[in-house]
Amino acid sequence: MFDRFPALSTERLQLREVTLEDMEAAAELYGNSVMMKTRQGPEKHLDIQASKDSRRTAVPERETAAHRIQEWFMTPYQEQRGIRFGIYLKHSNRLIGSCGFYRWNKAHYKAELVFDLYSEYRKRGLLKEALNALIAFGFDSMKLNRIEARIEGGNQPAQRTLLSLGFRHEGIERESEFEDGKFIDIACFSLLKGDGPPPVHLVK
């Protein structure tokens, strides 16, 4: 994919590789249950019985963090299926979230956007700052033509973030996934390389 894992920089953030050395920070981050997030990949597509079984045994935070680092960050990059950056504050080097591309389809020049952000850092423009850098990387360095995103139907903050970045709402997959004992809708969005800027009233 690349000779080495790339690093991106913005005014307030560093987007870089997450490794097992970040386990403590990841355990704190992913131990939080109220993160803004898109669908996260293969572990979000469990069957109903697996979802029930997963609630029977509590998983230690460190073990969960190690699994997610391997499954979300390291394996997709090693297998050239995608790339996911940790979002770090420049002034403190604190891990506050992640963003990247999953389901990278090189034949069709498209990939699926994934992101999450620690709740303490919402409403500061940090996620949008990170995603702007990521999207530019996707179009310029990965040669993507289409970026897709799938958001839980009730996650209005994430949907507003995508709209403010110029994504188009393409429709709803009704009761597309089973989570927490119920079926949920998934909102589908896309951004094309040739799309113009978002409408002025959606920029903020």
Side-chain angles (χ1 to χ4, degrees), residues 71-123:
E71 191 71 16
W72 293 3
F73 297 90
M74 300 173 70
T75 300
Y77 180 74
Q78 292 165 355
E79 296 179 354
Q80 299 192 27
R81 294 185 287 107
I83 185 169
R84 190 165 185 155
F85 296 85
I87 303 174
Y88 296 83
L89 291 175
K90 268 186 176 178
H91 69 271
S92 66
N93 201 35
R94 176 180 171 81
L95 177 67
I96 64 169
S98 69
C99 61
F101 296 112
Y102 181 68
R103 296 192 180 97
W104 184 9
N105 188 321
K106 301 179 185 68
H108 297 292
Y109 300 89
K110 66 180 182 178
E112 184 176 319
L113 176 70
V114 291
F115 58 85
D116 51 51
L117 186 71
Y118 190 61
S119 58
E120 178 183 346
Y121 295 94
R122 297 181 190 174
K123 299 183 179 180

Coordinates of all heavy atoms in Angstrom, one line a residue, residues 71-123:
E71 N -7.6 -5.6 15.2 CA -8.7 -5.9 14.2 C -9.0 -4.6 13.4 O -9.3 -4.7 12.2 CB -10.0 -6.3 14.9 CG -11.0 -6.9 14.0 CD -10.7 -8.2 13.3 OE1 -9.8 -8.9 13.8 OE2 -11.4 -8.6 12.4
W72 N -9.0 -3.5 14.0 CA -9.4 -2.2 13.3 C -8.2 -1.5 12.6 O -8.4 -0.9 11.6 CB -10.0 -1.2 14.3 CG -11.3 -1.7 14.9 CD1 -12.0 -2.9 14.6 CD2 -12.2 -0.9 15.7 NE1 -13.2 -2.9 15.3 CE2 -13.3 -1.7 16.0 CE3 -12.0 0.3 16.3 CZ2 -14.3 -1.3 16.9 CZ3 -13.1 0.7 17.2 CH2 -14.2 -0.1 17.4
F73 N -7.0 -1.6 13.2 CA -5.9 -0.8 12.8 C -4.8 -1.6 12.0 O -4.4 -1.2 10.9 CB -5.3 0.0 14.0 CG -6.2 1.0 14.6 CD1 -6.9 0.6 15.7 CD2 -6.2 2.3 14.2 CE1 -7.8 1.5 16.3 CE2 -7.0 3.2 14.9 CZ -7.8 2.8 15.9
M74 N -4.4 -2.6 12.6 CA -3.2 -3.3 12.1 C -3.6 -4.3 11.0 O -2.9 -4.3 9.9 CB -2.5 -4.1 13.2 CG -2.0 -3.1 14.3 SD -1.3 -4.0 15.8 CE 0.2 -4.6 15.1
T75 N -4.6 -5.2 11.2 CA -4.9 -6.2 10.2 C -5.3 -5.6 8.8 O -4.8 -6.0 7.8 CB -6.0 -7.1 10.7 OG1 -5.4 -7.8 11.9 CG2 -6.3 -8.2 9.7
P76 N -6.3 -4.6 8.8 CA -6.7 -4.1 7.5 C -5.5 -3.5 6.7 O -5.4 -3.6 5.5 CB -7.7 -3.0 7.8 CG -8.2 -3.4 9.1 CD -7.1 -4.0 9.9
Y77 N -4.6 -2.8 7.4 CA -3.4 -2.2 6.7 C -2.5 -3.3 6.2 O -2.0 -3.2 5.1 CB -2.7 -1.3 7.7 CG -1.5 -0.6 7.1 CD1 -1.6 0.4 6.2 CD2 -0.2 -1.1 7.4 CE1 -0.5 1.0 5.6 CE2 0.9 -0.5 6.8 CZ 0.8 0.6 5.9 OH 1.9 1.1 5.3
Q78 N -2.2 -4.3 7.1 CA -1.3 -5.4 6.6 C -1.9 -6.2 5.5 O -1.1 -6.6 4.6 CB -1.1 -6.3 7.8 CG -0.3 -5.7 9.0 CD -0.4 -6.5 10.3 OE1 -1.1 -7.5 10.4 NE2 0.4 -6.1 11.3
E79 N -3.2 -6.3 5.4 CA -3.9 -7.0 4.3 C -4.2 -6.1 3.2 O -4.9 -6.6 2.2 CB -5.1 -7.8 4.9 CG -4.8 -8.8 5.9 CD -6.0 -9.5 6.4 OE1 -7.1 -9.1 6.1 OE2 -5.8 -10.5 7.2
Q80 N -3.9 -4.9 3.3 CA -4.2 -3.9 2.2 C -5.7 -3.8 1.9 O -6.1 -3.6 0.7 CB -3.4 -4.2 1.0 CG -1.9 -4.1 1.2 CD -1.1 -4.1 -0.1 OE1 -1.5 -3.7 -1.1 NE2 0.2 -4.6 0.0
R81 N -6.5 -3.9 2.9 CA -7.9 -3.7 2.8 C -8.4 -2.3 3.2 O -9.5 -1.9 3.0 CB -8.7 -4.8 3.6 CG -8.5 -6.2 3.1 CD -9.3 -7.1 3.9 NE -8.8 -7.4 5.3 CZ -9.4 -6.9 6.4 NH1 -10.5 -6.1 6.3 NH2 -8.9 -7.1 7.6
G82 N -7.5 -1.6 3.9 CA -7.9 -0.3 4.4 C -6.8 0.3 5.2 O -5.7 -0.3 5.4
I83 N -7.0 1.5 5.8 CA -6.1 2.2 6.6 C -6.8 3.0 7.6 O -7.8 3.6 7.3 CB -5.1 3.1 5.8 CG1 -4.0 3.7 6.7 CG2 -5.9 4.2 5.0 CD1 -2.9 4.3 5.9
R84 N -6.4 2.9 8.9 CA -7.1 3.7 10.0 C -6.0 4.4 10.8 O -5.1 3.7 11.3 CB -7.9 2.7 10.8 CG -8.8 3.4 11.8 CD -9.9 2.4 12.3 NE -10.9 3.1 13.1 CZ -12.1 2.6 13.3 NH1 -12.5 1.5 12.7 NH2 -12.9 3.2 14.1
F85 N -6.2 5.7 11.0 CA -5.3 6.5 11.8 C -5.8 6.7 13.2 O -7.0 6.9 13.4 CB -5.2 7.9 11.1 CG -4.6 7.9 9.7 CD1 -5.4 7.6 8.6 CD2 -3.2 8.1 9.5 CE1 -4.8 7.7 7.3 CE2 -2.7 8.1 8.3 CZ -3.5 7.9 7.2
G86 N -4.9 6.8 14.1 CA -5.3 7.4 15.4 C -5.3 8.9 15.3 O -4.5 9.5 14.6
I87 N -6.3 9.5 16.0 CA -6.3 11.0 16.1 C -5.7 11.4 17.4 O -6.2 11.0 18.5 CB -7.8 11.5 16.0 CG1 -8.5 11.0 14.7 CG2 -7.8 13.0 16.0 CD1 -9.9 11.3 14.6
Y88 N -4.6 12.2 17.3 CA -3.9 12.6 18.5 C -3.8 14.1 18.6 O -3.7 14.8 17.6 CB -2.4 12.1 18.4 CG -2.3 10.6 18.5 CD1 -2.4 9.8 17.3 CD2 -2.0 9.9 19.7 CE1 -2.3 8.5 17.4 CE2 -1.9 8.5 19.7 CZ -2.1 7.8 18.6 OH -1.9 6.5 18.6
L89 N -4.0 14.7 19.8 CA -3.8 16.1 20.0 C -2.3 16.4 19.9 O -1.5 15.7 20.4 CB -4.3 16.5 21.3 CG -5.8 16.4 21.6 CD1 -6.2 16.8 23.0 CD2 -6.6 17.4 20.6
K90 N -2.0 17.5 19.1 CA -0.6 17.8 18.9 C 0.1 18.2 20.2 O 1.2 17.8 20.5 CB -0.5 19.0 17.9 CG -0.3 18.6 16.5 CD -0.1 19.8 15.6 CE 0.2 19.4 14.2 NZ 0.4 20.5 13.3
H91 N -0.6 19.0 21.0 CA 0.1 19.6 22.2 C 0.3 18.5 23.3 O 1.2 18.7 24.2 CB -0.7 20.8 22.7 CG -2.0 20.4 23.4 ND1 -3.2 20.3 22.6 CD2 -2.3 20.1 24.7 CE1 -4.2 20.0 23.5 NE2 -3.7 19.8 24.7
S92 N -0.5 17.5 23.3 CA -0.3 16.5 24.4 C -0.1 15.1 23.9 O 0.2 14.2 24.7 CB -1.6 16.5 25.2 OG -2.7 16.0 24.5
N93 N -0.2 14.8 22.6 CA 0.0 13.5 22.0 C -1.0 12.5 22.6 O -0.8 11.3 22.7 CB 1.4 13.0 22.2 CG 1.8 11.9 21.2 OD1 1.3 11.9 20.1 ND2 2.5 10.9 21.7
R94 N -2.2 13.0 22.9 CA -3.3 12.2 23.5 C -4.1 11.6 22.4 O -4.6 12.3 21.5 CB -4.1 13.0 24.4 CG -5.3 12.3 25.0 CD -6.1 13.2 26.0 NE -7.3 12.6 26.4 CZ -7.5 11.7 27.3 NH1 -6.4 11.3 28.0 NH2 -8.7 11.2 27.7
L95 N -4.4 10.3 22.5 CA -5.3 9.6 21.5 C -6.7 10.0 21.9 O -7.2 9.7 23.0 CB -5.1 8.1 21.6 CG -6.0 7.2 20.7 CD1 -5.7 7.5 19.3 CD2 -5.8 5.8 21.1
I96 N -7.4 10.6 20.9 CA -8.8 11.0 21.2 C -9.8 10.4 20.3 O -11.0 10.6 20.4 CB -8.9 12.6 21.2 CG1 -8.7 13.1 19.8 CG2 -8.0 13.2 22.2 CD1 -9.0 14.5 19.6
G97 N -9.4 9.6 19.4 CA -10.3 8.9 18.4 C -9.5 8.3 17.3 O -8.3 8.1 17.3
S98 N -10.3 8.0 16.2 CA -9.6 7.4 15.1 C -10.5 7.7 13.8 O -11.7 8.0 13.9 CB -9.4 5.9 15.2 OG -10.7 5.2 15.2
C99 N -9.9 7.5 12.7 CA -10.6 7.7 11.4 C -9.8 7.0 10.3 O -8.6 6.8 10.4 CB -10.8 9.2 11.1 SG -9.3 10.1 10.8
G100 N -10.5 6.6 9.3 CA -9.8 5.9 8.2 C -10.7 5.3 7.2 O -11.9 5.7 7.1
F101 N -10.2 4.4 6.4 CA -11.0 3.8 5.3 C -11.0 2.3 5.4 O -9.9 1.7 5.7 CB -10.4 4.2 3.9 CG -10.5 5.7 3.6 CD1 -9.3 6.5 3.6 CD2 -11.7 6.3 3.4 CE1 -9.4 7.9 3.3 CE2 -11.8 7.7 3.2 CZ -10.6 8.4 3.1
Y102 N -12.1 1.7 5.2 CA -12.3 0.3 5.3 C -12.9 -0.2 4.0 O -13.5 0.7 3.2 CB -13.2 0.0 6.5 CG -13.5 -1.5 6.8 CD1 -12.4 -2.3 7.2 CD2 -14.7 -2.0 6.6 CE1 -12.7 -3.7 7.4 CE2 -15.0 -3.3 6.8 CZ -14.0 -4.2 7.2 OH -14.2 -5.5 7.4
R103 N -12.9 -1.4 3.7 CA -13.4 -2.0 2.5 C -12.9 -1.2 1.2 O -13.7 -0.8 0.4 CB -15.0 -2.0 2.5 CG -15.6 -2.8 3.5 CD -17.1 -3.0 3.3 NE -17.7 -3.8 4.3 CZ -18.3 -3.4 5.4 NH1 -18.4 -2.1 5.6 NH2 -18.9 -4.2 6.2
W104 N -11.6 -1.1 1.2 CA -11.0 -0.4 0.0 C -11.1 -1.3 -1.2 O -10.5 -2.3 -1.3 CB -9.5 -0.1 0.4 CG -8.8 0.7 -0.7 CD1 -9.3 1.3 -1.7 CD2 -7.4 1.0 -0.7 NE1 -8.3 2.0 -2.4 CE2 -7.1 1.8 -1.8 CE3 -6.3 0.6 0.1 CZ2 -5.9 2.2 -2.2 CZ3 -5.1 1.1 -0.2 CH2 -4.8 1.9 -1.3
N105 N -11.8 -0.8 -2.2 CA -12.0 -1.5 -3.4 C -11.2 -0.8 -4.5 O -11.6 0.2 -5.1 CB -13.5 -1.5 -3.8 CG -13.8 -2.4 -5.0 OD1 -13.0 -2.5 -6.0 ND2 -14.9 -3.1 -5.0
K106 N -10.0 -1.3 -4.8 CA -9.1 -0.6 -5.7 C -9.6 -0.7 -7.1 O -9.4 0.2 -7.9 CB -7.7 -1.3 -5.6 CG -7.1 -1.2 -4.2 CD -5.7 -1.9 -4.2 CE -5.2 -1.9 -2.8 NZ -5.9 -2.9 -1.9
A107 N -10.3 -1.8 -7.5 CA -10.8 -1.9 -8.8 C -11.8 -0.8 -9.2 O -11.9 -0.4 -10.3 CB -11.4 -3.3 -9.0
H108 N -12.6 -0.4 -8.2 CA -13.6 0.6 -8.4 C -13.3 2.0 -7.7 O -14.2 2.8 -7.7 CB -15.0 0.1 -7.9 CG -15.4 -1.2 -8.6 ND1 -15.8 -1.1 -10.0 CD2 -15.5 -2.5 -8.2 CE1 -16.1 -2.3 -10.3 NE2 -16.0 -3.2 -9.3
Y109 N -12.1 2.1 -7.2 CA -11.6 3.4 -6.7 C -12.6 4.0 -5.6 O -12.9 5.1 -5.6 CB -11.5 4.4 -7.8 CG -10.5 4.0 -8.9 CD1 -10.9 3.3 -10.0 CD2 -9.2 4.4 -8.8 CE1 -10.0 2.9 -11.0 CE2 -8.3 4.0 -9.8 CZ -8.7 3.2 -10.8 OH -7.8 2.8 -11.8
K110 N -12.9 3.1 -4.6 CA -13.8 3.5 -3.6 C -13.4 2.9 -2.3 O -12.8 1.8 -2.2 CB -15.3 3.3 -3.9 CG -15.7 1.8 -4.0 CD -17.1 1.6 -4.3 CE -17.5 0.2 -4.4 NZ -19.0 0.0 -4.7
A111 N -13.9 3.5 -1.2 CA -13.7 2.9 0.2 C -14.7 3.5 1.1 O -15.4 4.4 0.8 CB -12.3 3.3 0.7
E112 N -14.8 2.8 2.3 CA -15.8 3.2 3.3 C -15.2 4.0 4.4 O -14.2 3.5 5.0 CB -16.6 2.0 3.8 CG -17.7 2.3 4.8 CD -18.5 1.1 5.2 OE1 -18.7 0.2 4.4 OE2 -18.8 1.0 6.4
L113 N -15.7 5.1 4.7 CA -15.2 6.0 5.8 C -15.6 5.4 7.2 O -16.8 5.1 7.3 CB -15.7 7.4 5.6 CG -15.3 8.4 6.7 CD1 -13.8 8.7 6.6 CD2 -16.1 9.7 6.5
V114 N -14.7 5.4 8.1 CA -15.0 5.0 9.5 C -14.4 6.1 10.4 O -13.3 6.6 10.1 CB -14.6 3.6 9.9 CG1 -15.3 2.5 9.1 CG2 -13.1 3.4 9.6
F115 N -15.0 6.4 11.5 CA -14.5 7.3 12.5 C -15.1 7.2 13.8 O -16.2 6.7 13.9 CB -14.6 8.8 11.9 CG -16.0 9.2 11.7 CD1 -16.8 9.7 12.7 CD2 -16.5 9.1 10.4 CE1 -18.1 10.1 12.4 CE2 -17.8 9.5 10.1 CZ -18.6 10.0 11.1
D116 N -14.4 7.6 14.8 CA -15.0 7.7 16.2 C -14.2 8.8 16.9 O -13.1 9.2 16.5 CB -14.9 6.4 16.9 CG -13.5 5.7 16.9 OD1 -12.5 6.4 17.3 OD2 -13.4 4.6 16.6
L117 N -14.8 9.3 18.0 CA -14.2 10.4 18.7 C -14.7 10.3 20.2 O -15.9 10.1 20.5 CB -14.7 11.8 18.1 CG -14.1 13.0 18.7 CD1 -12.6 13.1 18.3 CD2 -14.8 14.3 18.3
Y118 N -13.7 10.5 21.1 CA -14.0 10.5 22.5 C -14.9 11.6 22.8 O -14.8 12.7 22.3 CB -12.7 10.6 23.3 CG -12.8 10.4 24.7 CD1 -13.2 9.1 25.2 CD2 -12.4 11.4 25.6 CE1 -13.3 8.9 26.6 CE2 -12.5 11.2 27.0 CZ -12.9 9.9 27.5 OH -13.0 9.7 28.8
S119 N -16.0 11.4 23.6 CA -17.1 12.3 23.8 C -16.6 13.7 24.4 O -17.2 14.7 24.1 CB -18.1 11.7 24.7 OG -17.5 11.3 26.0
E120 N -15.5 13.6 25.2 CA -15.0 14.8 25.8 C -14.5 15.9 24.7 O -14.5 17.1 25.0 CB -13.8 14.5 26.7 CG -13.1 15.6 27.4 CD -11.9 15.2 28.2 OE1 -11.8 14.0 28.4 OE2 -11.1 16.1 28.6
Y121 N -14.2 15.4 23.5 CA -13.6 16.3 22.5 C -14.6 16.6 21.4 O -14.2 17.2 20.4 CB -12.4 15.7 22.0 CG -11.3 15.5 23.0 CD1 -11.2 14.4 23.7 CD2 -10.5 16.6 23.3 CE1 -10.2 14.2 24.7 CE2 -9.5 16.5 24.3 CZ -9.4 15.3 25.0 OH -8.5 15.2 26.0
R122 N -15.9 16.4 21.6 CA -16.9 16.8 20.6 C -17.1 18.3 20.6 O -16.8 19.0 21.6 CB -18.2 16.0 20.8 CG -18.1 14.5 20.7 CD -19.4 13.9 20.9 NE -19.3 12.4 21.0 CZ -20.3 11.6 21.3 NH1 -21.5 12.1 21.5 NH2 -20.1 10.3 21.3
K123 N -17.8 18.8 19.6 CA -18.2 20.1 19.5 C -17.0 21.1 19.6 O -17.2 22.3 20.0 CB -19.2 20.5 20.6 CG -20.5 19.6 20.5 CD -21.5 20.0 21.6 CE -22.8 19.1 21.4 NZ -23.8 19.5 22.4

